[in-house]
Amino acid sequence: MGTIQIKTPSPDQAIPLLKEALAIETKLTRDSLHTTENRIATLTHQLNVTSEEVLAGTIRRTEDNEALLIDLEGELELRRVLQDTLHHLEQLEVCP
């Protein structure tokens, strides 16, 4: 694990601020992930497909489903990014 240093003249004030900022960012990321999961569930239901089928590219694209598939592909990519971000946030530790 790597180390990042932050220099401050008042570490007693900075540490709680950093911890709170990380906690808020983690909560926002979790909330965003929850919203994205709900959108994915709605879109997969509307299209009658699975996420795996979309990711594998096995869905037949038509004029009727193209817009929803594009939305779903975007949500799947967003989910991947949010999961990765959450994983990194959960590994961060503020050490005094």
Side-chain angles (χ1 to χ4, degrees), residues 18-51:
L18 289 169
K19 287 181 177 181
E20 182 64 20
L22 289 172
I24 289 169
E25 188 64 27
T26 300
K27 182 186 180 326
L28 288 172
T29 302
R30 276 196 186 106
D31 291 348
S32 296
L33 187 55
H34 180 73
T35 299
T36 298
E37 290 286 359
N38 287 340
R39 288 181 185 151
I40 289 170
T42 299
L43 289 165
T44 54
H45 179 74
Q46 285 177 325
L47 290 162
N48 195 28
V49 299
T50 65
S51 298

Side-chain angles (χ1 to χ4, degrees), residues 54-68:
V54 175
L55 292 171
T58 59
I59 304 300
R60 186 166 108 53
R61 291 172 125 40
T62 65
E63 194 174 305
D64 293 335
N65 71 7
E66 183 67 18
L68 289 176

Side-chain angles (χ1 to χ4, degrees), residues 47-88:
L47 290 162
N48 195 28
V49 299
T50 65
S51 298
E52 292 77 20
E53 291 172 323
V54 175
L55 292 171
T58 59
I59 304 300
R60 186 166 108 53
R61 291 172 125 40
T62 65
E63 194 174 305
D64 293 335
N65 71 7
E66 183 67 18
L68 289 176
L69 281 171
I70 290 171
D71 287 347
L72 180 53
E73 289 166 341
E75 292 297 333
L76 290 169
E77 176 61 16
L78 180 57
R79 177 178 68 183
R80 185 193 63 74
V81 170
L82 289 170
Q83 287 171 333
D84 188 49
T85 300
L86 185 58
H87 175 73
H88 290 294

